[in-house]
Amino acid sequence: PTGARLWATYYGLTSTEMITANCIATDASNNVFLAGQTDNPSGMASGGFQNTNGGSQDVFLVKFSPTGARLWATYYGGSDPTISEECYGVTANAAGNVYIAGDSYSSNNIASGGYDNSFTGTENNFVAAFDANGSRLCATYYGLTHEEEGHVGVDGSGNVYLAGNTASASGIASGGFDNILGGADAYLVKFAPCTPPLAVELLSFTAKCTATTTQQLNNSITIFWSTASQINNDYFTVEKSVDGNNFE
């Protein structure tokens, strides 16, 4: 290596925005991940999980190719315009999945499919996993009523580690070396890999007979459904049964 500069980039929009980039990582293919927090309302994200800023300050995560081209970028935060998030760490595994950790004051849009999907107190840690294309795999809160700060790591088996400091006397340690808070302590927690998300998360499904004559009975069913999410899915098949056991 000669020490020559290969490429460099600004990342931001207006002169009045607040943007801090304090987290960086690379993956096995030499893609580069940059993360931090910003109050910019738009323009920081493209092709990612969340393309608009939801709060007063959201975390952002951007993926660059080895030659410096932006591949995708996402905001990450709740929907309350007065609430903020901060990033404390980012890492990637051999499969190209990327993990961000930080803290959040938001009670929505942070955790999904993780260990703890419910916000507790006023501020919680969070860790969120994304695939190589920027789709969220799962995310969890971690902490109770006191401030926690968390940094993230991942091992070769896909297990995820969150470490930081806490003043919470419960809800933090279980089955570990020391399960009793001594004051303001450090903590370390290990999570299993994300379970791959279902193609469709179904919230409700109902069917209503709209036939007005006997002849219409086989062709006059109106179906209503709602979904929480649909991932890599164009359609799903509905089968019918008259006895609940045999479907066609």
Side-chain angles (χ1 to χ4, degrees):
T2 63
R5 182 174 65 184
L6 301 180
W7 58 265
T9 185
Y10 292 109
Y11 201 70
L13 290 174
T14 68
S15 60
T16 59
E17 71 184 346
M18 188 289 297
I19 179 171
T20 303
N22 54 345
C23 306
I24 189 170
T26 58
D27 65 16
S29 300
N30 294 322
N31 297 301
V32 184
F33 299 93
L34 182 69
Q37 46 277 333
T38 182
D39 63 1
N40 197 295
S42 63
M44 297 286 291
S46 176
F49 168 74
Q50 179 185 328
N51 292 323
T52 57
N53 191 325
S56 64
Q57 175 182 289
D58 277 7
V59 167
F60 73 89
L61 172 66
V62 55
K63 180 180 181 178
F64 296 98
S65 74
T67 57
R70 185 175 73 172
L71 301 178
W72 55 263
T74 184
Y75 290 105
Y76 201 69
S79 60
D80 188 327
T82 66
I83 297 300
S84 63
E85 278 73 41
E86 293 180 298
C87 178
Y88 289 127
V90 60
T91 192
N93 68 9
N97 298 328
V98 58
Y99 305 80
I100 56 172
D103 67 359
S104 174
Y105 294 87
S106 295
S107 60
N108 62 7
N109 297 346
I110 299 297
S112 176
Y115 165 76
D116 183 358
N117 298 319
S118 299
F119 184 77
T120 305
T122 58
E123 180 183 7
N124 286 177
N125 277 171
F126 73 87
V127 58
F130 301 87
D131 69 16
N133 298 314
S135 296
R136 185 175 68 179
L137 300 174
C138 69
T140 185
Y141 291 111
Y142 201 71
L144 287 176
T145 58
H146 296 275
E147 285 192 11
E148 282 86 24
E149 294 183 2
H151 302 265
V152 65
V154 63
D155 66 22
S157 299
N159 299 304
V160 180
Y161 301 84
L162 188 67
N165 57 273
T166 183
S168 294
S170 61
I172 298 294
S174 176
F177 168 75
D178 182 359
N179 298 319
I180 300 174
L181 182 76
D185 283 4
Y187 76 87
L188 171 65
V189 56
K190 178 180 180 179
F191 299 103
C194 293
T195 301
L198 297 173
V200 176
E201 290 185 81
L202 197 63
L203 293 177
S204 65
F205 187 95
T206 58
K208 179 181 180 181
C209 177
T210 55
T212 57
T213 67
T214 303
Q215 290 76 15
Q216 294 177 342
L217 284 176
N218 290 330
N219 300 300
S220 300
I221 303 296
T222 302
I223 297 173
F224 305 89
W225 71 88
S226 63
T227 60
S229 64
Q230 297 185 53
I231 302 173
N232 298 325
N233 179 71
D234 292 328
Y235 66 92
F236 56 91
T237 301
V238 177
E239 297 182 342
K240 62 182 180 180
S241 171
V242 295
D243 59 10
N245 295 309
N246 300 297
F247 292 85
E248 59 181 22

